[in-house]
Amino acid sequence: MSTTADLAKKGPTYDTGNDNIVIVKHLEGIPGGRTLDVVSYTPDVIPAGHIIICTNDEKTYKPMPVSGSAYDALPAGHKYVGVLISTILKSKPFAGIMVRGTVNKEASFYPLATILTDVKTALPLIRFTQD
């Protein structure tokens, strides 16, 4: 009898198929990205196109909070800073954050309708289109 081992690196799986659809054009991002504070974020995956916020002192970056299948309200003491450029795991919250480019708002995992006016005001270099 021989011993066998599986050498394939296995990890969690998640769908990134929508990333290139929701992020239409990435022109500029925060240099080096940011590690997100995900303590109060409940889903296991943060999808591309997710709105990223930070504390007003710009020391802590977070995914916009969600409740069920929609964005929650912007927490007090926070502001909108950009859009996540690729899907990431909550367990590895290393985020590329777009500050200038184009987002297909209809392809976003969480609907933007309730926060879109405020997001557009805070992020004037990001165009929100629909295909």
Side-chain angles (χ1 to χ4, degrees), residues 8-81:
K9 182 178 180 183
K10 294 182 181 172
T13 58
Y14 54 98
D15 186 8
T16 60
N18 201 40
D19 290 16
N20 290 333
I21 298 168
V22 70
I23 302 298
V24 177
K25 189 177 285 188
H26 175 233
L27 297 173
E28 186 178 357
I30 295 174
R34 293 292 182 269
T35 300
L36 303 178
D37 175 354
V38 294
V39 171
S40 59
Y41 188 79
T42 53
D44 292 333
V45 174
I46 309 167
H50 197 91
I51 302 300
I52 303 299
I53 62 175
C54 73
T55 52
N56 286 337
D57 62 7
E58 297 184 8
K59 290 185 178 182
T60 305
Y61 288 72
K62 305 175 180 182
M64 179 72 176
V66 294
S67 178
S69 60
Y71 283 113
D72 250 344
L74 181 67
H78 290 74
K79 62 184 178 179
Y80 300 109
V81 291

Side-chain angles (χ1 to χ4, degrees), residues 11 90 127:
K90 175 183 175 179
R127 290 180 49 226

Side-chain angles (χ1 to χ4, degrees), residues 83-104:
V83 177
L84 186 67
I85 61 172
S86 61
T87 300
I88 59 174
L89 290 170
K90 175 183 175 179
S91 61
K92 295 184 184 205
F94 314 121
I97 303 169
M98 180 172 71
V99 295
R100 188 173 86 153
T102 305
V103 173
N104 179 348

Side-chain angles (χ1 to χ4, degrees), residues 3-11:
T3 304
T4 61
D6 184 357
L7 299 176
K9 182 178 180 183
K10 294 182 181 172

